[in-house]
Amino acid sequence: MAHISYKDSGVDIDAGNAFVEAIKSDVKSTFDNNVIGGIGSFAGAYALPSGFTEPVILSATDGVGTKLKLAIESGRLDTVGIDLVAMCVNDLICNYGTPMFFLDYYATGKLLPKNAQAVVAGIAEGCRRSECALVGGETAEMPGMYGGDDFDLAGFAVGVAERSEMDRVSLVKPGQILIALPSSGVHSNGYSLVRKLFFEKLGMRLEDDFNGKPLLETLLEPTRIYVKDFKENKAHIVALAHITGGGILENLPRVLPEGVKAVVRESDIRILPLFEFMAAHVEREEMFRAFNMGVGMVWVVEPQNVDAVLETTDGYVIGQIEEGKRKVEMI
């Protein structure tokens, strides 16, 4: 009986080893002084930063969703890694956590080193933008689980916070101001609806023009990372809400205590052209529940700190906190 190898089953160990070698420079470019050791150990090691009285370790995990389908179908794989990092670190800062390090999980039916390298280069870029280290990851080649060039991504971010600073909800009170930080686009939520509308209902193609550039470029615009904005304005922020799936209506209440509401002036929201276009085919309420509508994050700020925040960011005022039932009220 003839012998068979792992490669005969669809798993190429040599390709995997070559991939690890190819990504080393990108990974090392994210390291800071707290990274202990290098690449290739069984676990990534990171020294707990000093200067905390009562440090708390925070963690967040997420994926990119069906935005990956657009990336795979188009062969444009250099941006979804940024999305992966963004979806995790933007959550961490909402709990006043400073991102420390990141890990990724890349699963595919057949490892194509060039494709995987492009994805990891994007992850490394996301880590540089969020000032956290890419200390490890896993590449799983699983024939039969994924078809063709399909793959999936998961990300894991770990940060640190001062325990006394974590409870932001109790600090939110009537009279405070809501500042919107613009999104870079759809970010990484609602792509099942995006794909159904643009490609099934409207019959559009990735190369079709949209506002002067291919539709693909607009749809694959990576999720904005707000870590540096947070660090620069930490002393001026009462609370933060990352606007992901569920939109402003469902994410902003997560930072509200009982007895207060967030009053948002819809006319003040700088809705992106893509969402304006989609709104002709999707009900308004559904749009605000599925998408960020051009607002990637909302900060609650004391009135006296508004000018300082507006001077150091591209944010703008969209409303205020008032007494009332805990919810978002659009006016």
Side-chain angles (χ1 to χ4, degrees):
M1 185 175 180
H3 292 148
I4 64 171
S5 68
Y6 209 178
K7 190 171 184 178
D8 293 328
S9 72
V11 179
D12 190 338
I13 296 175
D14 292 332
N17 291 336
F19 163 66
V20 172
E21 286 299 316
I23 65 173
K24 279 187 175 180
S25 61
D26 274 322
V27 174
K28 286 182 178 178
S29 73
T30 71
F31 285 6
D32 58 27
N33 293 332
N34 292 317
V35 176
I36 301 171
I39 303 168
S41 188
F42 290 95
Y46 194 91
L48 190 65
S50 60
F52 290 84
T53 302
E54 197 174 2
V56 175
I57 300 299
L58 303 178
S59 61
T61 183
D62 212 331
V64 182
T66 57
K67 189 175 188 176
L68 274 178
K69 289 293 290 182
L70 296 181
I72 293 168
E73 290 167 3
S74 66
R76 175 79 181 274
L77 303 174
D78 59 332
T79 61
V80 288
I82 300 173
D83 289 296
L84 185 68
V85 176
M87 296 305 291
C88 297
V89 298
N90 286 344
D91 278 352
L92 280 184
I93 62 176
C94 290
N95 287 97
Y96 249 54
T98 299
M100 296 188 298
F101 60 86
F102 191 84
L103 302 99
D104 70 275
Y105 177 75
Y106 180 103
T108 185
K110 179 175 177 56
L111 180 63
L112 302 174
K114 183 179 179 181
N115 289 355
Q117 188 176 349
V119 172
V120 173
I123 293 172
E125 174 59 24
C127 286
R128 289 190 292 269
R129 293 184 186 185
S130 55
E131 299 179 330
C132 70
L134 178 57
V135 299
E138 172 68 10
T139 304
E141 193 171 15
M142 299 185 288
M145 288 289 290
Y146 299 89
D149 294 341
D150 283 350
F151 65 89
D152 200 5
L153 290 174
F156 312 88
V158 175
V160 60
E162 192 69 72
R163 189 182 189 116
S164 62
E165 295 180 342
M166 288 181 60
D167 179 14
R168 312 313 300 176
V169 174
S170 65
L171 303 177
V172 177
K173 295 177 172 57
Q176 294 165 341
I177 305 301
L178 301 173
I179 293 179
L181 269 67
S183 68
S184 55
V186 185
H187 283 184
S188 298
N189 298 101
Y191 273 85
S192 295
L193 177 53
V194 167
R195 290 166 55 243
K196 187 170 186 65
L197 172 60
F198 280 95
F199 308 120
E200 290 185 32
K201 180 178 176 62
L202 300 179
M204 296 179 70
R205 301 171 300 170
L206 293 174
E207 60 269 24
D208 286 349
D209 178 81
F210 185 84
N211 272 19
K213 62 182 181 180
L215 177 62
L216 174 66
E217 290 188 22
T218 297
L219 295 183
L220 285 188
E221 183 69 32
T223 304
R224 177 175 170 179
I225 292 173
Y226 299 94
V227 173
K228 291 180 181 179
D229 296 298
F230 164 71
K231 287 181 176 179
E232 187 172 0
N233 290 277
K234 186 176 178 181
H236 299 138
I237 304 169
V238 176
L240 312 83
H242 184 198
I243 309 304
T244 56
I248 296 173
L249 295 175
E250 294 186 10
N251 284 288
L252 189 48
R254 296 166 70 177
V255 301
L256 301 179
E258 292 297 332
V260 303
K261 62 183 178 180
V263 179
V264 176
R265 294 183 293 274
E266 184 178 340
S267 60
D268 287 346
I269 295 175
R270 299 172 187 174
I271 299 175
L272 296 176
L274 182 72
F275 297 126
E276 295 279 14
F277 178 87
M278 295 180 66
H281 307 278
V282 180
E283 292 290 339
R284 170 192 170 280
E285 184 177 355
E286 186 74 2
M287 289 292 297
F288 273 92
R289 289 187 67 232
F291 302 109
N292 64 62
M293 300 302 285
V295 178
M297 188 161 281
V298 176
W299 291 357
V300 181
V301 176
E302 294 287 1
Q304 64 269 27
N305 292 327
V306 170
D307 288 344
V309 170
L310 298 185
E311 287 174 4
T312 57
T313 70
D314 56 353
Y316 59 96
V317 174
I318 59 169
Q320 64 279 334
I321 301 296
E322 298 181 4
E323 292 183 4
K325 184 178 179 181
R326 180 178 171 269
K327 65 175 182 177
V328 172
E329 181 179 305
M330 303 287 287
I331 61 173

